[in-house]
Each structure stands twice: as structure tokens, then as C-alpha cells.
Amino acid sequence: MFYAIGLGLADEKDITVKGLEIVKRAERVYLEAYTAILLVDKEALEAYYGRSVILADREMVESSSDQILADADKVDVAFLVVGDPFSATTHTDLILRARALSIPIQTLPNASIMTAIGACGLSLYNFGQTVSMVFFTESWKPASYYDRMLENWNLGLHTLVLLDIKVKEPDLQAMARGRIIYEPPRFMTVAQCAAQMIETEEEKKAGVFHADDVLAVGVARAGAADMSIVAGTLTQLAEVDMGRPLHSLVLVGKRMHEMERDFVREFAVDKTVFDEVWKKSYEGHGQ
Amino acid sequence: MFYAIGLGLADEKDITVKGLEIVKRAERVYLEAYTAILLVDKEALEAYYGRSVILADREMVESSSDQILADADKVDVAFLVVGDPFSATTHTDLILRARALSIPIQTLPNASIMTAIGACGLSLYNFGQTVSMVFFTESWKPASYYDRMLENWNLGLHTLVLLDIKVKEPDLQAMARGRIIYEPPRFMTVAQCAAQMIETEEEKKAGVFHADDVLAVGVARAGAADMSIVAGTLTQLAEVDMGRPLHSLVLVGKRMHEMERDFVREFAVDKTVFDEVWKKSYEGHGQ
């Protein structure tokens, strides 16, 4: 059996009891560690599981899936995914490949940022489609997220923005000199995301998400004991320091109702500003 | 500390290791059992946890929250929620109340149908807002879900439909005779949901979700070992028998891309019909 097992969001104890039993008895255990990370490292997992874990990087999952799936029709293979196994498309590939090889598959779902984000007090029923934000470079500032965000915005819905992480990215300058060196891992912060959103808005000039007139919520380390939540305008969030990864951001849609406001307001950088923006942009739009 | 702990979707072993540790040591343990149910009963949980669990029905959570929260500033109280603690608004109330009482709160997220639905092969990034479907009666057929579904549909997005459950509903006829009797629990099936969608469409005559021209996916017992998935037109799904609860349904949006199609097609009631509907209504709309 091929088991795709969600690890949840924070540490080694966020695996389910059922998942842990499978990990302990499986023939091989892989850890996918490039679309998201836990707040603990592979060694902590190995110590807790009492067994070794094979790190599966993007290259292995995308190019050597048959190696991961080898013999899984005869023995148990566990493939550990931070969060929930179906949050990222890549694992759909792997499951399709397993199916093509007639390997029996079982998925063990777990917490995902897509639902854990509810801890900020915004109703999950009021979220539209989720978007991703990648690190902008001087020459590459993809704005396709903006169009989807605008679709949500026009319906009054919240948008969850998942922030880029770069793990084991090759250093292109070193590569040009014939050496393979990996850049240190990078994780986008709430402040960087807010700043990029402001940048896109200034370029698009669609005049929708005014940096000072919309509310956004930054969430750091969702699901962990030291989770941190901050609410404010985009301008305010572009200045916050929310500490270590992972971070996520929600652009608050106009349908925000009063119970959501009451909950989120507790996290405001500045309650006076929060109330002003609520009055100006949100009040009366709730459903 | 007041702990809101997600139980996941299937059975007693879907709790996280961290959650189980808290349940074992908490002073009191409540189980919320009216917005969703596990596939096992309270007794199975109690046997597994090795302790008693207090059933919290809607009345207790909504009217006697101070009883649940009593002393939680001094002792540990665990409040168990099927799925993820933030999937239903009711628990937001409870958390707001705990906050008002200055009780420290920690949330342990877990799998939710909102992400576990990804097991059907539809990308979570292509879902719009989630809607709920209640049991229609002769005189009450609320269609507000339809308007939200239409918003998603117009954007080409999938819609997850969460199906009504009735647990511990008072028998109104008996009540009129001065007796309190509860109706047996009822859980909406995929077939009932599809039939109700067809009914609404016929009334609204917006001519959008043609029962034979749109694809939908039915999922039963998401996250469990005997999870079952069926894909077809609404007409086809109105005839399926997917066995014991819980059931959910997804109306497939036009943006469905080819990898999603390949995955979902495996679950088709009839692959020929599936391919015809794909060609007629979906092909070329993917992004």
C-alpha cells in the first residue's frame, strides 16, 4: 500500500495516531520537504518516529516517482507531506502514477493552512479561491494572482494568499561556473507579501486594493502554540515583523460580517485605524 | 487552558498525537456532535481515550458555554470537534466567549472536509466559496446556496457542497403533545443533494446547471479507509447509492484542467457520458 500521510502544520506530534502507526511499520518513509516545511527538522521527526526518513526533494518526486513507488504493491510505503497531502498539485501527479502502476493507495488527511487559517476569525465559508504569491525579482513580477484576487474581491470574498518558499534552489551564478550550489532556504514574510501586493496594485492601477483602505490579516505559524496573528491595512502589514516562518496572508473581502470583525479586531495593529477602515470600506456589506 | 481540538474525519485514531496527549490529561473533555459526526460513536472514543467524554449538543454549546468554559483559566478543558475546530461558526462564538472571560485558548487543527475533498482529484486552488445544502421540506426549499454556487460557476470554479445532518432534532408533533422526543439522526446523501439541486434549477430557471450537462463529484466518508468517490452528471448522481454517511458533493467548475479530468474520470459512473459532458461543457475552459 502507498500511504500519503499529512503531517499537519507545526511539529512531529501533529501527525495523527493512525499516521504514526503506519510510519512505524512502513518499509520506507519519505518526507516531501519543498512545498511546505514543519517547524521542526527531519532529525526531530526521525528521533520521534524511531526510524530513518528519506528526504524527497522536488527532483525526486517529479523525476523519480517510480523509485518512491517501488514495490508499494507488495510492501507499505509512507509518503509524508507537511499539511494535507492534497494541498499541492505535485502529489496528484504521484497518486496518478501510483494508480497507473496498480498500486493501492490510501490518503490520511490532516490540517492544512487552507482551513487552519480559520483561527484568525474569518469564516471559511467566506473565502474564495486561494492564490499563491511568488518572490518578485527585478525582472519578474507575476501578477496572475491579482486577477484571481480581484474575482474574489468583486464578490466580497476573502482571499487566502499562500507565500512562496524556496528550499534547495540551485544558485544560478554558481551553476554557470559549472558548480552545483544551493541557495539558503527563503520563506516569504507577511510584510514582503503585503509590499508586493502594493507594488502590483500600483502597476495595475485597477484602483481596487488601496493600500490604506483595505484590511488584511497576517498569520504566522498557523497551528503552532506560538501562532501569531496581526490585522491591519496593507500599508501596516508591509511593516510588521511576524518572526519565523511559515507566514500566510488574507485579503479581507467586503462581505466580512460583524462577528468576523469582532474576532479579527483583537489582532489589529491599531484598533483606531482598523475601525476607520471597517467603517469606510466594509460596514454594511456583510451578509 | 481551553483546547479546541480537531478530531479529523473518520475514527478515534484520526486525532493528532498532540491532541490525544491533551485529551488524556484534561480535567474535562467535551465532544461536539451535532455539526458533524465521526464514523465511530462516543463509546468508541471513550474506550480509546480511557476516560469519559461529555456529549455537548447544540443547546449546551449555544446556551451553556460558561458551563463548558468553567475553570478553564485554571485547569485544562478539551473541546473536541469532528474535522477542524474552525469549520463551523458556532465554535467561533465559543472562542469569543472564552476570550471575553480571559481564558487562554489553544486550537489544534486537523483534517477538514474542506481540504480532504481534494482526494477526488479536483485542485483545491480551483474551488470558490463553500456552500451548505439543507434538507428541503414541502414548504421550505431555501435556494440561497444557489446564488453563491452561481458566483463560483460564473468564474469557472468548483463548489463544495456540505450536506445537512440532523442530530437530536426535536420531534415537533410530539412536542405539541407536550413530550420531548428526538427524531432519529438523518444525514443527507449525495443523491438527495443532486436531486435538490435539480429541483432548485428547475425553479430558478437560470438555465445554468443543466442536470445532464454539468459534472459533479460525490464523496462519501472522506478520509476513511472505505472512502468512496463517484463522478457523473447531476442526473446520474441523483441515482447513486454511496452507502453510510457522511457525504459531500462538488459541482465541477469549467476551469477544470486536464489533469483534474484524468483523475476524476476514474470515478465516473459511465466514462462515455463523462467524456461527452467534458467535451460539451468543459473542454477548452481550463487554465
Side-chain angles (χ1 to χ4, degrees), chain A residues 21-51:
Chain A
E21 288 177 357
I22 295 165
V23 165
K24 285 185 180 289
R25 71 160 194 259
E27 184 90 2
R28 301 191 307 281
V29 178
Y30 295 92
L31 170 66
E32 187 277 79
Y34 60 90
T35 53
I37 54 146
L38 283 182
L39 303 173
V40 296
D41 58 17
K42 181 170 92 92
E43 285 66 34
L45 292 183
E46 289 180 321
Y48 185 69
Y49 300 155
R51 61 169 303 157

PDB file of all heavy atoms in Angstrom, chain A residues 21-51:
ATOM      1  N   GLU A  21       1.187   5.174  13.390  1.00  0.00           N
ATOM      2  CA  GLU A  21       1.253   3.699  13.360  1.00  0.00           C
ATOM      3  C   GLU A  21       1.788   3.205  12.017  1.00  0.00           C
ATOM      4  O   GLU A  21       2.584   2.260  11.956  1.00  0.00           O
ATOM      5  CB  GLU A  21      -0.138   3.108  13.621  1.00  0.00           C
ATOM      6  CG  GLU A  21      -0.604   3.255  15.068  1.00  0.00           C
ATOM      7  CD  GLU A  21      -2.021   2.720  15.296  1.00  0.00           C
ATOM      8  OE1 GLU A  21      -2.683   2.274  14.337  1.00  0.00           O
ATOM      9  OE2 GLU A  21      -2.461   2.767  16.459  1.00  0.00           O
ATOM     10  N   ILE A  22       1.344   3.849  10.952  1.00  0.00           N
ATOM     11  CA  ILE A  22       1.804   3.432   9.617  1.00  0.00           C
ATOM     12  C   ILE A  22       3.279   3.761   9.428  1.00  0.00           C
ATOM     13  O   ILE A  22       4.059   2.948   8.914  1.00  0.00           O
ATOM     14  CB  ILE A  22       0.944   4.100   8.527  1.00  0.00           C
ATOM     15  CG1 ILE A  22      -0.490   3.587   8.629  1.00  0.00           C
ATOM     16  CG2 ILE A  22       1.519   3.829   7.136  1.00  0.00           C
ATOM     17  CD1 ILE A  22      -1.503   4.412   7.876  1.00  0.00           C
ATOM     18  N   VAL A  23       3.673   4.955   9.881  1.00  0.00           N
ATOM     19  CA  VAL A  23       5.077   5.355   9.752  1.00  0.00           C
ATOM     20  C   VAL A  23       5.978   4.353  10.468  1.00  0.00           C
ATOM     21  O   VAL A  23       7.039   3.970   9.971  1.00  0.00           O
ATOM     22  CB  VAL A  23       5.288   6.776  10.326  1.00  0.00           C
ATOM     23  CG1 VAL A  23       6.773   7.067  10.547  1.00  0.00           C
ATOM     24  CG2 VAL A  23       4.665   7.817   9.402  1.00  0.00           C
ATOM     25  N   LYS A  24       5.540   3.903  11.626  1.00  0.00           N
ATOM     26  CA  LYS A  24       6.383   2.996  12.416  1.00  0.00           C
ATOM     27  C   LYS A  24       6.545   1.634  11.741  1.00  0.00           C
ATOM     28  O   LYS A  24       7.579   0.986  11.886  1.00  0.00           O
ATOM     29  CB  LYS A  24       5.804   2.823  13.825  1.00  0.00           C
ATOM     30  CG  LYS A  24       6.052   4.047  14.721  1.00  0.00           C
ATOM     31  CD  LYS A  24       5.564   3.780  16.149  1.00  0.00           C
ATOM     32  CE  LYS A  24       5.787   4.970  17.070  1.00  0.00           C
ATOM     33  NZ  LYS A  24       7.205   5.195  17.399  1.00  0.00           N
ATOM     34  N   ARG A  25       5.536   1.213  10.980  1.00  0.00           N
ATOM     35  CA  ARG A  25       5.630  -0.132  10.404  1.00  0.00           C
ATOM     36  C   ARG A  25       5.973  -0.157   8.922  1.00  0.00           C
ATOM     37  O   ARG A  25       6.237  -1.231   8.358  1.00  0.00           O
ATOM     38  CB  ARG A  25       4.314  -0.891  10.635  1.00  0.00           C
ATOM     39  CG  ARG A  25       3.147  -0.396   9.811  1.00  0.00           C
ATOM     40  CD  ARG A  25       2.043  -1.452   9.700  1.00  0.00           C
ATOM     41  NE  ARG A  25       1.127  -1.047   8.642  1.00  0.00           N
ATOM     42  CZ  ARG A  25      -0.046  -0.465   8.846  1.00  0.00           C
ATOM     43  NH1 ARG A  25      -0.469  -0.232  10.081  1.00  0.00           N
ATOM     44  NH2 ARG A  25      -0.804  -0.117   7.829  1.00  0.00           N
ATOM     45  N   ALA A  26       6.004   1.017   8.257  1.00  0.00           N
ATOM     46  CA  ALA A  26       6.229   1.020   6.809  1.00  0.00           C
ATOM     47  C   ALA A  26       7.640   0.565   6.455  1.00  0.00           C
ATOM     48  O   ALA A  26       8.577   0.701   7.248  1.00  0.00           O
ATOM     49  CB  ALA A  26       5.970   2.415   6.252  1.00  0.00           C
ATOM     50  N   GLU A  27       7.775   0.038   5.251  1.00  0.00           N
ATOM     51  CA  GLU A  27       9.088  -0.423   4.778  1.00  0.00           C
ATOM     52  C   GLU A  27      10.001   0.782   4.522  1.00  0.00           C
ATOM     53  O   GLU A  27      11.160   0.786   4.923  1.00  0.00           O
ATOM     54  CB  GLU A  27       8.863  -1.208   3.474  1.00  0.00           C
ATOM     55  CG  GLU A  27      10.086  -1.837   2.874  1.00  0.00           C
ATOM     56  CD  GLU A  27      10.333  -3.247   3.385  1.00  0.00           C
ATOM     57  OE1 GLU A  27       9.514  -3.751   4.183  1.00  0.00           O
ATOM     58  OE2 GLU A  27      11.353  -3.843   2.995  1.00  0.00           O
ATOM     59  N   ARG A  28       9.450   1.797   3.844  1.00  0.00           N
ATOM     60  CA  ARG A  28      10.215   3.026   3.585  1.00  0.00           C
ATOM     61  C   ARG A  28       9.333   4.227   3.900  1.00  0.00           C
ATOM     62  O   ARG A  28       8.125   4.188   3.706  1.00  0.00           O
ATOM     63  CB  ARG A  28      10.646   3.118   2.113  1.00  0.00           C
ATOM     64  CG  ARG A  28      11.515   1.981   1.615  1.00  0.00           C
ATOM     65  CD  ARG A  28      12.126   2.259   0.240  1.00  0.00           C
ATOM     66  NE  ARG A  28      11.157   2.648  -0.778  1.00  0.00           N
ATOM     67  CZ  ARG A  28      10.370   1.797  -1.432  1.00  0.00           C
ATOM     68  NH1 ARG A  28      10.395   0.498  -1.143  1.00  0.00           N
ATOM     69  NH2 ARG A  28       9.555   2.234  -2.362  1.00  0.00           N
ATOM     70  N   VAL A  29       9.994   5.291   4.388  1.00  0.00           N
ATOM     71  CA  VAL A  29       9.267   6.516   4.720  1.00  0.00           C
ATOM     72  C   VAL A  29       9.938   7.699   4.027  1.00  0.00           C
ATOM     73  O   VAL A  29      11.136   7.937   4.208  1.00  0.00           O
ATOM     74  CB  VAL A  29       9.245   6.762   6.247  1.00  0.00           C
ATOM     75  CG1 VAL A  29       8.516   8.075   6.566  1.00  0.00           C
ATOM     76  CG2 VAL A  29       8.581   5.599   6.966  1.00  0.00           C
ATOM     77  N   TYR A  30       9.188   8.399   3.192  1.00  0.00           N
ATOM     78  CA  TYR A  30       9.706   9.587   2.510  1.00  0.00           C
ATOM     79  C   TYR A  30       9.097  10.836   3.125  1.00  0.00           C
ATOM     80  O   TYR A  30       7.927  10.831   3.540  1.00  0.00           O
ATOM     81  CB  TYR A  30       9.340   9.554   1.015  1.00  0.00           C
ATOM     82  CG  TYR A  30       9.989   8.422   0.264  1.00  0.00           C
ATOM     83  CD1 TYR A  30       9.338   7.192   0.124  1.00  0.00           C
ATOM     84  CD2 TYR A  30      11.248   8.579  -0.291  1.00  0.00           C
ATOM     85  CE1 TYR A  30       9.937   6.148  -0.561  1.00  0.00           C
ATOM     86  CE2 TYR A  30      11.860   7.529  -0.974  1.00  0.00           C
ATOM     87  CZ  TYR A  30      11.198   6.316  -1.106  1.00  0.00           C
ATOM     88  OH  TYR A  30      11.794   5.286  -1.784  1.00  0.00           O
ATOM     89  N   LEU A  31       9.875  11.895   3.138  1.00  0.00           N
ATOM     90  CA  LEU A  31       9.366  13.186   3.602  1.00  0.00           C
ATOM     91  C   LEU A  31       9.490  14.202   2.483  1.00  0.00           C
ATOM     92  O   LEU A  31      10.593  14.513   2.033  1.00  0.00           O
ATOM     93  CB  LEU A  31      10.157  13.667   4.830  1.00  0.00           C
ATOM     94  CG  LEU A  31       9.889  15.111   5.271  1.00  0.00           C
ATOM     95  CD1 LEU A  31       8.447  15.277   5.769  1.00  0.00           C
ATOM     96  CD2 LEU A  31      10.881  15.531   6.356  1.00  0.00           C
ATOM     97  N   GLU A  32       8.350  14.691   2.018  1.00  0.00           N
ATOM     98  CA  GLU A  32       8.355  15.738   0.995  1.00  0.00           C
ATOM     99  C   GLU A  32       8.605  17.053   1.698  1.00  0.00           C
ATOM    100  O   GLU A  32       7.867  17.420   2.612  1.00  0.00           O
ATOM    101  CB  GLU A  32       6.993  15.727   0.295  1.00  0.00           C
ATOM    102  CG  GLU A  32       6.900  16.640  -0.890  1.00  0.00           C
ATOM    103  CD  GLU A  32       6.593  18.074  -0.548  1.00  0.00           C
ATOM    104  OE1 GLU A  32       7.521  18.797  -0.142  1.00  0.00           O
ATOM    105  OE2 GLU A  32       5.440  18.469  -0.696  1.00  0.00           O
ATOM    106  N   ALA A  33       9.639  17.754   1.311  1.00  0.00           N
ATOM    107  CA  ALA A  33      10.032  18.938   2.081  1.00  0.00           C
ATOM    108  C   ALA A  33      10.405  20.105   1.180  1.00  0.00           C
ATOM    109  O   ALA A  33      11.414  20.753   1.374  1.00  0.00           O
ATOM    110  CB  ALA A  33      11.187  18.587   3.005  1.00  0.00           C
ATOM    111  N   TYR A  34       9.567  20.372   0.191  1.00  0.00           N
ATOM    112  CA  TYR A  34       9.896  21.536  -0.639  1.00  0.00           C
ATOM    113  C   TYR A  34       8.687  22.420  -0.915  1.00  0.00           C
ATOM    114  O   TYR A  34       8.821  23.548  -1.334  1.00  0.00           O
ATOM    115  CB  TYR A  34      10.557  21.118  -1.952  1.00  0.00           C
ATOM    116  CG  TYR A  34       9.717  20.224  -2.818  1.00  0.00           C
ATOM    117  CD1 TYR A  34       8.859  20.763  -3.772  1.00  0.00           C
ATOM    118  CD2 TYR A  34       9.767  18.846  -2.673  1.00  0.00           C
ATOM    119  CE1 TYR A  34       8.069  19.941  -4.549  1.00  0.00           C
ATOM    120  CE2 TYR A  34       8.977  18.029  -3.442  1.00  0.00           C
ATOM    121  CZ  TYR A  34       8.134  18.575  -4.382  1.00  0.00           C
ATOM    122  OH  TYR A  34       7.342  17.754  -5.146  1.00  0.00           O
ATOM    123  N   THR A  35       7.452  21.924  -0.703  1.00  0.00           N
ATOM    124  CA  THR A  35       6.306  22.811  -0.900  1.00  0.00           C
ATOM    125  C   THR A  35       5.874  23.461   0.413  1.00  0.00           C
ATOM    126  O   THR A  35       5.183  24.456   0.414  1.00  0.00           O
ATOM    127  CB  THR A  35       5.099  22.072  -1.513  1.00  0.00           C
ATOM    128  OG1 THR A  35       4.812  20.929  -0.741  1.00  0.00           O
ATOM    129  CG2 THR A  35       5.401  21.664  -2.934  1.00  0.00           C
ATOM    130  N   ALA A  36       6.276  22.853   1.526  1.00  0.00           N
ATOM    131  CA  ALA A  36       6.000  23.447   2.829  1.00  0.00           C
ATOM    132  C   ALA A  36       6.988  22.809   3.801  1.00  0.00           C
ATOM    133  O   ALA A  36       7.607  21.789   3.500  1.00  0.00           O
ATOM    134  CB  ALA A  36       4.567  23.176   3.272  1.00  0.00           C
ATOM    135  N   ILE A  37       7.149  23.391   4.966  1.00  0.00           N
ATOM    136  CA  ILE A  37       8.037  22.797   5.970  1.00  0.00           C
ATOM    137  C   ILE A  37       7.334  22.800   7.307  1.00  0.00           C
ATOM    138  O   ILE A  37       6.475  23.614   7.583  1.00  0.00           O
ATOM    139  CB  ILE A  37       9.361  23.566   6.125  1.00  0.00           C
ATOM    140  CG1 ILE A  37       9.068  25.050   6.420  1.00  0.00           C
ATOM    141  CG2 ILE A  37      10.257  23.403   4.927  1.00  0.00           C
ATOM    142  CD1 ILE A  37      10.064  25.678   7.337  1.00  0.00           C
ATOM    143  N   LEU A  38       7.711  21.833   8.119  1.00  0.00           N
ATOM    144  CA  LEU A  38       7.290  21.858   9.515  1.00  0.00           C
ATOM    145  C   LEU A  38       8.198  22.837  10.250  1.00  0.00           C
ATOM    146  O   LEU A  38       9.190  23.318   9.705  1.00  0.00           O
ATOM    147  CB  LEU A  38       7.442  20.468  10.156  1.00  0.00           C
ATOM    148  CG  LEU A  38       6.397  19.401   9.847  1.00  0.00           C
ATOM    149  CD1 LEU A  38       6.724  18.136  10.627  1.00  0.00           C
ATOM    150  CD2 LEU A  38       5.000  19.881  10.192  1.00  0.00           C
ATOM    151  N   LEU A  39       7.874  23.118  11.491  1.00  0.00           N
ATOM    152  CA  LEU A  39       8.716  23.996  12.299  1.00  0.00           C
ATOM    153  C   LEU A  39       9.824  23.202  12.989  1.00  0.00           C
ATOM    154  O   LEU A  39      10.592  23.743  13.768  1.00  0.00           O
ATOM    155  CB  LEU A  39       7.845  24.737  13.321  1.00  0.00           C
ATOM    156  CG  LEU A  39       6.710  25.561  12.678  1.00  0.00           C
ATOM    157  CD1 LEU A  39       5.788  26.121  13.736  1.00  0.00           C
ATOM    158  CD2 LEU A  39       7.273  26.666  11.806  1.00  0.00           C
ATOM    159  N   VAL A  40       9.885  21.911  12.686  1.00  0.00           N
ATOM    160  CA  VAL A  40      10.981  21.089  13.205  1.00  0.00           C
ATOM    161  C   VAL A  40      11.668  20.425  12.007  1.00  0.00           C
ATOM    162  O   VAL A  40      11.077  20.317  10.932  1.00  0.00           O
ATOM    163  CB  VAL A  40      10.475  19.984  14.168  1.00  0.00           C
ATOM    164  CG1 VAL A  40       9.850  20.602  15.411  1.00  0.00           C
ATOM    165  CG2 VAL A  40       9.465  19.068  13.485  1.00  0.00           C
ATOM    166  N   ASP A  41      12.913  19.948  12.188  1.00  0.00           N
ATOM    167  CA  ASP A  41      13.624  19.376  11.042  1.00  0.00           C
ATOM    168  C   ASP A  41      13.495  17.852  10.983  1.00  0.00           C
ATOM    169  O   ASP A  41      12.890  17.220  11.842  1.00  0.00           O
ATOM    170  CB  ASP A  41      15.082  19.836  11.016  1.00  0.00           C
ATOM    171  CG  ASP A  41      15.792  19.452  12.307  1.00  0.00           C
ATOM    172  OD1 ASP A  41      15.260  18.592  13.027  1.00  0.00           O
ATOM    173  OD2 ASP A  41      16.849  20.030  12.600  1.00  0.00           O
ATOM    174  N   LYS A  42      14.067  17.305   9.909  1.00  0.00           N
ATOM    175  CA  LYS A  42      13.968  15.877   9.658  1.00  0.00           C
ATOM    176  C   LYS A  42      14.490  15.053  10.844  1.00  0.00           C
ATOM    177  O   LYS A  42      13.915  14.017  11.196  1.00  0.00           O
ATOM    178  CB  LYS A  42      14.767  15.532   8.392  1.00  0.00           C
ATOM    179  CG  LYS A  42      14.732  14.049   7.992  1.00  0.00           C
ATOM    180  CD  LYS A  42      15.330  13.823   6.625  1.00  0.00           C
ATOM    181  CE  LYS A  42      16.797  13.512   6.642  1.00  0.00           C
ATOM    182  NZ  LYS A  42      17.147  12.084   6.686  1.00  0.00           N
ATOM    183  N   GLU A  43      15.552  15.531  11.469  1.00  0.00           N
ATOM    184  CA  GLU A  43      16.161  14.776  12.578  1.00  0.00           C
ATOM    185  C   GLU A  43      15.178  14.642  13.747  1.00  0.00           C
ATOM    186  O   GLU A  43      15.106  13.602  14.396  1.00  0.00           O
ATOM    187  CB  GLU A  43      17.464  15.450  13.044  1.00  0.00           C
ATOM    188  CG  GLU A  43      18.647  15.246  12.088  1.00  0.00           C
ATOM    189  CD  GLU A  43      18.471  15.928  10.735  1.00  0.00           C
ATOM    190  OE1 GLU A  43      17.840  17.020  10.692  1.00  0.00           O
ATOM    191  OE2 GLU A  43      18.906  15.371   9.706  1.00  0.00           O
ATOM    192  N   ALA A  44      14.412  15.714  13.988  1.00  0.00           N
ATOM    193  CA  ALA A  44      13.423  15.651  15.076  1.00  0.00           C
ATOM    194  C   ALA A  44      12.356  14.605  14.746  1.00  0.00           C
ATOM    195  O   ALA A  44      11.913  13.854  15.621  1.00  0.00           O
ATOM    196  CB  ALA A  44      12.784  17.020  15.285  1.00  0.00           C
ATOM    197  N   LEU A  45      11.953  14.548  13.476  1.00  0.00           N
ATOM    198  CA  LEU A  45      10.973  13.537  13.077  1.00  0.00           C
ATOM    199  C   LEU A  45      11.546  12.140  13.250  1.00  0.00           C
ATOM    200  O   LEU A  45      10.886  11.246  13.794  1.00  0.00           O
ATOM    201  CB  LEU A  45      10.564  13.733  11.613  1.00  0.00           C
ATOM    202  CG  LEU A  45       9.757  14.986  11.273  1.00  0.00           C
ATOM    203  CD1 LEU A  45       9.374  14.964   9.791  1.00  0.00           C
ATOM    204  CD2 LEU A  45       8.493  15.068  12.124  1.00  0.00           C
ATOM    205  N   GLU A  46      12.775  11.955  12.808  1.00  0.00           N
ATOM    206  CA  GLU A  46      13.401  10.626  12.898  1.00  0.00           C
ATOM    207  C   GLU A  46      13.520  10.175  14.353  1.00  0.00           C
ATOM    208  O   GLU A  46      13.260   9.022  14.675  1.00  0.00           O
ATOM    209  CB  GLU A  46      14.769  10.634  12.218  1.00  0.00           C
ATOM    210  CG  GLU A  46      14.648  10.731  10.698  1.00  0.00           C
ATOM    211  CD  GLU A  46      15.992  10.734   9.990  1.00  0.00           C
ATOM    212  OE1 GLU A  46      16.933  11.368  10.520  1.00  0.00           O
ATOM    213  OE2 GLU A  46      16.101  10.117   8.915  1.00  0.00           O
ATOM    214  N   ALA A  47      13.905  11.105  15.211  1.00  0.00           N
ATOM    215  CA  ALA A  47      14.046  10.764  16.625  1.00  0.00           C
ATOM    216  C   ALA A  47      12.686  10.355  17.193  1.00  0.00           C
ATOM    217  O   ALA A  47      12.570   9.369  17.922  1.00  0.00           O
ATOM    218  CB  ALA A  47      14.619  11.955  17.398  1.00  0.00           C
ATOM    219  N   TYR A  48      11.653  11.097  16.801  1.00  0.00           N
ATOM    220  CA  TYR A  48      10.327  10.811  17.351  1.00  0.00           C
ATOM    221  C   TYR A  48       9.761   9.505  16.793  1.00  0.00           C
ATOM    222  O   TYR A  48       9.140   8.731  17.511  1.00  0.00           O
ATOM    223  CB  TYR A  48       9.388  11.981  17.053  1.00  0.00           C
ATOM    224  CG  TYR A  48       8.035  11.819  17.701  1.00  0.00           C
ATOM    225  CD1 TYR A  48       7.898  11.904  19.089  1.00  0.00           C
ATOM    226  CD2 TYR A  48       6.910  11.545  16.935  1.00  0.00           C
ATOM    227  CE1 TYR A  48       6.668  11.723  19.697  1.00  0.00           C
ATOM    228  CE2 TYR A  48       5.673  11.366  17.537  1.00  0.00           C
ATOM    229  CZ  TYR A  48       5.557  11.454  18.912  1.00  0.00           C
ATOM    230  OH  TYR A  48       4.341  11.265  19.508  1.00  0.00           O
ATOM    231  N   TYR A  49       9.991   9.276  15.490  1.00  0.00           N
ATOM    232  CA  TYR A  49       9.466   8.049  14.872  1.00  0.00           C
ATOM    233  C   TYR A  49      10.300   6.821  15.246  1.00  0.00           C
ATOM    234  O   TYR A  49       9.840   5.685  15.105  1.00  0.00           O
ATOM    235  CB  TYR A  49       9.466   8.147  13.345  1.00  0.00           C
ATOM    236  CG  TYR A  49       8.639   9.276  12.765  1.00  0.00           C
ATOM    237  CD1 TYR A  49       8.950   9.791  11.502  1.00  0.00           C
ATOM    238  CD2 TYR A  49       7.550   9.810  13.441  1.00  0.00           C
ATOM    239  CE1 TYR A  49       8.204  10.818  10.943  1.00  0.00           C
ATOM    240  CE2 TYR A  49       6.803  10.839  12.886  1.00  0.00           C
ATOM    241  CZ  TYR A  49       7.132  11.339  11.646  1.00  0.00           C
ATOM    242  OH  TYR A  49       6.413  12.355  11.083  1.00  0.00           O
ATOM    243  N   GLY A  50      11.541   7.064  15.659  1.00  0.00           N
ATOM    244  CA  GLY A  50      12.440   5.963  15.940  1.00  0.00           C
ATOM    245  C   GLY A  50      12.872   5.216  14.691  1.00  0.00           C
ATOM    246  O   GLY A  50      13.093   4.001  14.702  1.00  0.00           O
ATOM    247  N   ARG A  51      13.009   5.950  13.584  1.00  0.00           N
ATOM    248  CA  ARG A  51      13.430   5.312  12.327  1.00  0.00           C
ATOM    249  C   ARG A  51      13.933   6.374  11.352  1.00  0.00           C
ATOM    250  O   ARG A  51      13.708   7.566  11.548  1.00  0.00           O
ATOM    251  CB  ARG A  51      12.276   4.546  11.712  1.00  0.00           C
ATOM    252  CG  ARG A  51      11.086   5.427  11.372  1.00  0.00           C
ATOM    253  CD  ARG A  51      10.106   4.651  10.542  1.00  0.00           C
ATOM    254  NE  ARG A  51      10.788   4.175   9.353  1.00  0.00           N
ATOM    255  CZ  ARG A  51      10.395   3.140   8.651  1.00  0.00           C
ATOM    256  NH1 ARG A  51       9.339   2.463   8.993  1.00  0.00           N
ATOM    257  NH2 ARG A  51      11.064   2.778   7.570  1.00  0.00           N
TER     258      ARG A  51
END
